[in-house]
Amino acid sequence: MEDNTKENEQQINVELSEEMAEGVYSNLAMIAHSNSEFILDFIRLMPGVPRAKVKARIIITPEHAKRLIAALQDNIQKYEDQYGQIQSSQDNEPSFNFPISFGGPGGEA
């Protein structure tokens, strides 16, 4: 039975180009959803600049959104175990709102 389990496991080779490895900085995420997908817009908001640009848009299924949440929670717990509690700016700023709207159902992270 163990041999069947090992045969069914797939290894995925993930390719990461040099350009993609550099990453993109984002300090704001906007989330919208439909019945079949979640849309995550990663935005760079610059102080004193009234416009912000979406730097990356990721579209995932609801199932993958739940997996992402679980992976983030696991990694945050490991981070806090090693480096201490992450202090949220919302802890100090009770009314932290952005007047940004893309229309449709949405949320903020």
Side-chain angles (χ1 to χ4, degrees):
M1 187 73 175
E2 275 186 52
D3 291 333
N4 288 342
T5 304
K6 288 181 181 178
E7 288 177 14
N8 291 335
E9 289 182 16
Q10 289 184 333
Q11 288 191 349
I12 300 173
N13 293 324
V14 177
E15 185 177 315
L16 183 64
S17 69
E18 192 174 319
E19 180 184 356
M20 188 62 67
E22 291 179 14
V24 175
Y25 178 76
S26 169
N27 55 5
L28 176 67
M30 301 288 292
I31 303 169
H33 66 275
S34 70
N35 64 334
S36 61
E37 61 195 18
F38 279 76
I39 301 166
L40 293 79
D41 286 328
F42 294 92
I43 300 162
R44 184 179 306 154
L45 186 64
M46 301 300 288
V49 179
R51 294 185 67 131
K53 283 191 172 184
V54 173
K55 302 308 267 183
R57 171 172 275 191
I58 308 297
I59 302 169
I60 58 177
T61 65
E63 180 183 0
H64 284 104
K66 278 203 140 183
R67 289 181 187 171
L68 177 62
I69 288 172
L72 281 170
Q73 288 173 331
D74 179 55
N75 278 271
I76 288 170
Q77 184 62 55
K78 289 175 183 174
Y79 177 95
E80 289 184 333
D81 289 347
Q82 186 171 358
Y83 301 108
Q85 185 80 20
I86 298 170
Q87 297 300 316
S88 173
S89 63
Q90 292 177 339
D91 294 342
N92 302 325
E93 300 176 24
S95 59
F96 187 68
N97 295 317
F98 285 100
I100 300 173
S101 175
F102 292 105
E108 228 179 77

